[in-house]
Amino acid sequence: MTLKLRYKEPDADISSLLQAVLKDSKTDWKKSSDNFRFSSSVAVLGMILRDSPHRGKSSNQWIRSLVEQTLDSDPEGYRRQFLRLVQTAEELTSERR
């Protein structure tokens, strides 16, 4: 996959292009870093909240399970706060049904 990103400095008139070729490293999901698993769970919550067709079979329970595996590397407590956000999202979506 090729990732292309354009950005423009605040005072610039012309944007710049950054490109990176990404190759599948075939890393097992369980061997991925805590940061990768946490950021993935944040993205999945966004897809669930938007009812995105790209969310697949993901669920709030899956997100909680994934984040709970990463709590050892949470010195600032952001991941625990995110778990509370997931719980709130669950409560709000169950009220809509």
Side-chain angles (χ1 to χ4, degrees), residues 5-18:
L5 177 69
R6 286 200 159 275
Y7 71 96
K8 186 166 60 166
E9 297 291 335
D11 297 327
D13 293 326
I14 299 173
S15 65
S16 299
L17 174 67
L18 291 175

Side-chain angles (χ1 to χ4, degrees), residues 1 9 12 15 20 31 39 44 46 51 54 57 68 76 82 87 93 96-97:
M1 166 173 81
E9 297 291 335
S15 65
K31 292 181 182 177
S39 60
V44 169
D51 200 23
H54 303 292
K57 296 180 182 180
E68 286 168 355
E76 291 88 16
F82 179 71
Q87 180 180 358
T93 54
R96 283 194 277 169
R97 294 180 188 157

Side-chain angles (χ1 to χ4, degrees), residues 45-57:
L45 179 63
M47 288 188 271
I48 288 173
L49 292 175
R50 296 187 71 180
D51 200 23
S52 169
H54 303 292
R55 72 184 243 189
K57 296 180 182 180

Side-chain angles (χ1 to χ4, degrees), residues 25-69:
S25 63
K26 310 253 189 255
T27 301
D28 186 306
W29 178 254
K30 293 174 183 167
K31 292 181 182 177
S32 61
S33 72
D34 285 352
N35 287 336
F36 181 81
R37 284 183 278 150
F38 176 67
S39 60
S40 297
S41 67
V42 171
V44 169
L45 179 63
M47 288 188 271
I48 288 173
L49 292 175
R50 296 187 71 180
D51 200 23
S52 169
H54 303 292
R55 72 184 243 189
K57 296 180 182 180
S58 299
S59 66
N60 290 324
Q61 295 83 5
W62 179 81
I63 292 172
R64 275 197 319 275
S65 168
L66 193 61
V67 174
E68 286 168 355
Q69 296 171 23

